[in-house]
Amino acid sequence: MSDATHLTPERYVTLSISEHVADVRLNRPDKHNGIDWKMIDALLAVQQELHARARESGLRAIVLSGEGPSFCAGLDIAAIMGDAARVPQLLVAGANGCAPQRNTVQQLALGWRDVGVPVIAALHGNVFGGGLQIALGADIRLCDPDARLAVLEIDWGIIPDMGISVTARGVRPDWLHELTWSGRKVEANEAQSAGLVTRIISSPQEEALALARQIAGRSPSAIRAITRLYDEALAAPEAEALALEAELQSSLLGRAEQTECIKAKLEGRAPRF
């Protein structure tokens, strides 16, 4: 895939694609990437573009990060309430091109999964409220040691509603209750204990891009099969999970990509897909 760079309207989100990896960056640094109406529109536009590119090209991984001092400090309430008449529209299922079972704010977090490739979030600075919920939509979250994370919706008398009932299933329930009830801000180590982040690393964006490139060098068919296996089998009854495991393995064995993996391993080189 050739290099490409795109800027959304108002440049609130940037998108660069190189070597099968999409580098998506929230780009409202002076506001800690706070989510206003333009940021919402920009994020939805990038998700739609990535979904289209995944179907027609060789996109294999996504890195999601934020420019400036923070990943995302959450909803910019003042900006959002500047057009309060639009707020109810955010909760209408199927609006703005969303799937029938999702509304706009849920799409902001869950839409990354629709692309069908691994998504890695690189977190630093403030990762609050909607920012944390967007990050939970990623498959992997790499976190700077000095980052602070929080679920702050309780401060506004509301619940976290950006798909967290789906994306936080790997978070310890007791931690999730406490953080959601209290709005307490936690450091990276505590967030990792809760299951909010995958790894703590001093250069999360750099590491996320390196990991994405590593994943992009693996068999795309195997990556898709692994994704489907974990998405469907982990919550399925044992018999269904084991049947899916065997079905997916059978779909890979002896095919061109799997044969290339074997040849590359034996020849001591990187596989070519």
mmCIF file with all atom_site columns, all heavy atoms in Angstrom, residues 130-141:
data_model
loop_
_atom_site.group_PDB
_atom_site.id
_atom_site.type_symbol
_atom_site.label_atom_id
_atom_site.label_alt_id
_atom_site.label_comp_id
_atom_site.label_asym_id
_atom_site.label_entity_id
_atom_site.label_seq_id
_atom_site.pdbx_PDB_ins_code
_atom_site.Cartn_x
_atom_site.Cartn_y
_atom_site.Cartn_z
_atom_site.occupancy
_atom_site.B_iso_or_equiv
_atom_site.pdbx_formal_charge
_atom_site.auth_seq_id
_atom_site.auth_comp_id
_atom_site.auth_asym_id
_atom_site.auth_atom_id
_atom_site.pdbx_PDB_model_num
ATOM 1  N N   . GLY A 1 130 ? -15.245 10.166 27.762 1.00 0.00 ? 130 GLY A N   1
ATOM 2  C CA  . GLY A 1 130 ? -15.374 9.667  26.397 1.00 0.00 ? 130 GLY A CA  1
ATOM 3  C C   . GLY A 1 130 ? -14.058 9.265  25.782 1.00 0.00 ? 130 GLY A C   1
ATOM 4  O O   . GLY A 1 130 ? -14.010 8.372  24.933 1.00 0.00 ? 130 GLY A O   1
ATOM 5  N N   . GLY A 1 131 ? -12.965 9.903  26.202 1.00 0.00 ? 131 GLY A N   1
ATOM 6  C CA  . GLY A 1 131 ? -11.650 9.514  25.699 1.00 0.00 ? 131 GLY A CA  1
ATOM 7  C C   . GLY A 1 131 ? -11.292 8.097  26.102 1.00 0.00 ? 131 GLY A C   1
ATOM 8  O O   . GLY A 1 131 ? -10.784 7.310  25.291 1.00 0.00 ? 131 GLY A O   1
ATOM 9  N N   . LEU A 1 132 ? -11.569 7.746  27.353 1.00 0.00 ? 132 LEU A N   1
ATOM 10 C CA  . LEU A 1 132 ? -11.301 6.385  27.821 1.00 0.00 ? 132 LEU A CA  1
ATOM 11 C C   . LEU A 1 132 ? -12.223 5.395  27.118 1.00 0.00 ? 132 LEU A C   1
ATOM 12 O O   . LEU A 1 132 ? -11.806 4.294  26.752 1.00 0.00 ? 132 LEU A O   1
ATOM 13 C CB  . LEU A 1 132 ? -11.483 6.300  29.332 1.00 0.00 ? 132 LEU A CB  1
ATOM 14 C CG  . LEU A 1 132 ? -11.315 4.911  29.961 1.00 0.00 ? 132 LEU A CG  1
ATOM 15 C CD1 . LEU A 1 132 ? -9.979  4.286  29.601 1.00 0.00 ? 132 LEU A CD1 1
ATOM 16 C CD2 . LEU A 1 132 ? -11.476 4.988  31.470 1.00 0.00 ? 132 LEU A CD2 1
ATOM 17 N N   . GLN A 1 133 ? -13.463 5.795  26.904 1.00 0.00 ? 133 GLN A N   1
ATOM 18 C CA  . GLN A 1 133 ? -14.397 4.881  26.240 1.00 0.00 ? 133 GLN A CA  1
ATOM 19 C C   . GLN A 1 133 ? -14.000 4.630  24.786 1.00 0.00 ? 133 GLN A C   1
ATOM 20 O O   . GLN A 1 133 ? -14.152 3.516  24.279 1.00 0.00 ? 133 GLN A O   1
ATOM 21 C CB  . GLN A 1 133 ? -15.814 5.436  26.329 1.00 0.00 ? 133 GLN A CB  1
ATOM 22 C CG  . GLN A 1 133 ? -16.347 5.420  27.761 1.00 0.00 ? 133 GLN A CG  1
ATOM 23 C CD  . GLN A 1 133 ? -17.792 5.813  27.837 1.00 0.00 ? 133 GLN A CD  1
ATOM 24 O OE1 . GLN A 1 133 ? -18.680 5.023  27.509 1.00 0.00 ? 133 GLN A OE1 1
ATOM 25 N NE2 . GLN A 1 133 ? -18.051 7.045  28.255 1.00 0.00 ? 133 GLN A NE2 1
ATOM 26 N N   . ILE A 1 134 ? -13.493 5.653  24.109 1.00 0.00 ? 134 ILE A N   1
ATOM 27 C CA  . ILE A 1 134 ? -12.975 5.444  22.750 1.00 0.00 ? 134 ILE A CA  1
ATOM 28 C C   . ILE A 1 134 ? -11.793 4.477  22.793 1.00 0.00 ? 134 ILE A C   1
ATOM 29 O O   . ILE A 1 134 ? -11.682 3.565  21.978 1.00 0.00 ? 134 ILE A O   1
ATOM 30 C CB  . ILE A 1 134 ? -12.572 6.784  22.119 1.00 0.00 ? 134 ILE A CB  1
ATOM 31 C CG1 . ILE A 1 134 ? -13.827 7.595  21.772 1.00 0.00 ? 134 ILE A CG1 1
ATOM 32 C CG2 . ILE A 1 134 ? -11.719 6.565  20.867 1.00 0.00 ? 134 ILE A CG2 1
ATOM 33 C CD1 . ILE A 1 134 ? -13.532 8.998  21.301 1.00 0.00 ? 134 ILE A CD1 1
ATOM 34 N N   . ALA A 1 135 ? -10.902 4.662  23.763 1.00 0.00 ? 135 ALA A N   1
ATOM 35 C CA  . ALA A 1 135 ? -9.737  3.781  23.892 1.00 0.00 ? 135 ALA A CA  1
ATOM 36 C C   . ALA A 1 135 ? -10.154 2.340  24.157 1.00 0.00 ? 135 ALA A C   1
ATOM 37 O O   . ALA A 1 135 ? -9.511  1.400  23.671 1.00 0.00 ? 135 ALA A O   1
ATOM 38 C CB  . ALA A 1 135 ? -8.829  4.281  25.009 1.00 0.00 ? 135 ALA A CB  1
ATOM 39 N N   . LEU A 1 136 ? -11.228 2.145  24.911 1.00 0.00 ? 136 LEU A N   1
ATOM 40 C CA  . LEU A 1 136 ? -11.696 0.793  25.200 1.00 0.00 ? 136 LEU A CA  1
ATOM 41 C C   . LEU A 1 136 ? -12.212 0.093  23.944 1.00 0.00 ? 136 LEU A C   1
ATOM 42 O O   . LEU A 1 136 ? -12.319 -1.131 23.917 1.00 0.00 ? 136 LEU A O   1
ATOM 43 C CB  . LEU A 1 136 ? -12.800 0.825  26.267 1.00 0.00 ? 136 LEU A CB  1
ATOM 44 C CG  . LEU A 1 136 ? -12.335 1.104  27.694 1.00 0.00 ? 136 LEU A CG  1
ATOM 45 C CD1 . LEU A 1 136 ? -13.531 1.328  28.620 1.00 0.00 ? 136 LEU A CD1 1
ATOM 46 C CD2 . LEU A 1 136 ? -11.474 -0.036 28.230 1.00 0.00 ? 136 LEU A CD2 1
ATOM 47 N N   . GLY A 1 137 ? -12.506 0.869  22.900 1.00 0.00 ? 137 GLY A N   1
ATOM 48 C CA  . GLY A 1 137 ? -12.911 0.265  21.645 1.00 0.00 ? 137 GLY A CA  1
ATOM 49 C C   . GLY A 1 137 ? -11.764 -0.367 20.879 1.00 0.00 ? 137 GLY A C   1
ATOM 50 O O   . GLY A 1 137 ? -11.994 -1.114 19.927 1.00 0.00 ? 137 GLY A O   1
ATOM 51 N N   . ALA A 1 138 ? -10.532 -0.087 21.299 1.00 0.00 ? 138 ALA A N   1
ATOM 52 C CA  . ALA A 1 138 ? -9.363  -0.709 20.672 1.00 0.00 ? 138 ALA A CA  1
ATOM 53 C C   . ALA A 1 138 ? -9.153  -2.115 21.232 1.00 0.00 ? 138 ALA A C   1
ATOM 54 O O   . ALA A 1 138 ? -9.607  -2.441 22.329 1.00 0.00 ? 138 ALA A O   1
ATOM 55 C CB  . ALA A 1 138 ? -8.117  0.149  20.916 1.00 0.00 ? 138 ALA A CB  1
ATOM 56 N N   . ASP A 1 139 ? -8.425  -2.927 20.484 1.00 0.00 ? 139 ASP A N   1
ATOM 57 C CA  . ASP A 1 139 ? -8.130  -4.290 20.935 1.00 0.00 ? 139 ASP A CA  1
ATOM 58 C C   . ASP A 1 139 ? -7.023  -4.305 21.986 1.00 0.00 ? 139 ASP A C   1
ATOM 59 O O   . ASP A 1 139 ? -7.016  -5.151 22.890 1.00 0.00 ? 139 ASP A O   1
ATOM 60 C CB  . ASP A 1 139 ? -7.688  -5.145 19.740 1.00 0.00 ? 139 ASP A CB  1
ATOM 61 C CG  . ASP A 1 139 ? -8.757  -5.222 18.659 1.00 0.00 ? 139 ASP A CG  1
ATOM 62 O OD1 . ASP A 1 139 ? -9.810  -5.817 18.925 1.00 0.00 ? 139 ASP A OD1 1
ATOM 63 O OD2 . ASP A 1 139 ? -8.545  -4.661 17.571 1.00 0.00 ? 139 ASP A OD2 1
ATOM 64 N N   . ILE A 1 140 ? -6.059  -3.378 21.849 1.00 0.00 ? 140 ILE A N   1
ATOM 65 C CA  . ILE A 1 140 ? -4.892  -3.298 22.726 1.00 0.00 ? 140 ILE A CA  1
ATOM 66 C C   . ILE A 1 140 ? -4.701  -1.846 23.112 1.00 0.00 ? 140 ILE A C   1
ATOM 67 O O   . ILE A 1 140 ? -4.863  -0.950 22.283 1.00 0.00 ? 140 ILE A O   1
ATOM 68 C CB  . ILE A 1 140 ? -3.627  -3.822 22.003 1.00 0.00 ? 140 ILE A CB  1
ATOM 69 C CG1 . ILE A 1 140 ? -3.782  -5.307 21.654 1.00 0.00 ? 140 ILE A CG1 1
ATOM 70 C CG2 . ILE A 1 140 ? -2.366  -3.596 22.846 1.00 0.00 ? 140 ILE A CG2 1
ATOM 71 C CD1 . ILE A 1 140 ? -2.702  -5.827 20.724 1.00 0.00 ? 140 ILE A CD1 1
ATOM 72 N N   . ARG A 1 141 ? -4.349  -1.600 24.386 1.00 0.00 ? 141 ARG A N   1
ATOM 73 C CA  . ARG A 1 141 ? -4.108  -0.232 24.856 1.00 0.00 ? 141 ARG A CA  1
ATOM 74 C C   . ARG A 1 141 ? -2.733  -0.164 25.515 1.00 0.00 ? 141 ARG A C   1
ATOM 75 O O   . ARG A 1 141 ? -2.502  -0.788 26.556 1.00 0.00 ? 141 ARG A O   1
ATOM 76 C CB  . ARG A 1 141 ? -5.200  0.199  25.845 1.00 0.00 ? 141 ARG A CB  1
ATOM 77 C CG  . ARG A 1 141 ? -6.534  0.475  25.170 1.00 0.00 ? 141 ARG A CG  1
ATOM 78 C CD  . ARG A 1 141 ? -7.676  0.565  26.161 1.00 0.00 ? 141 ARG A CD  1
ATOM 79 N NE  . ARG A 1 141 ? -7.920  -0.707 26.852 1.00 0.00 ? 141 ARG A NE  1
ATOM 80 C CZ  . ARG A 1 141 ? -8.530  -1.752 26.313 1.00 0.00 ? 141 ARG A CZ  1
ATOM 81 N NH1 . ARG A 1 141 ? -8.978  -1.686 25.067 1.00 0.00 ? 141 ARG A NH1 1
ATOM 82 N NH2 . ARG A 1 141 ? -8.705  -2.861 26.992 1.00 0.00 ? 141 ARG A NH2 1
#
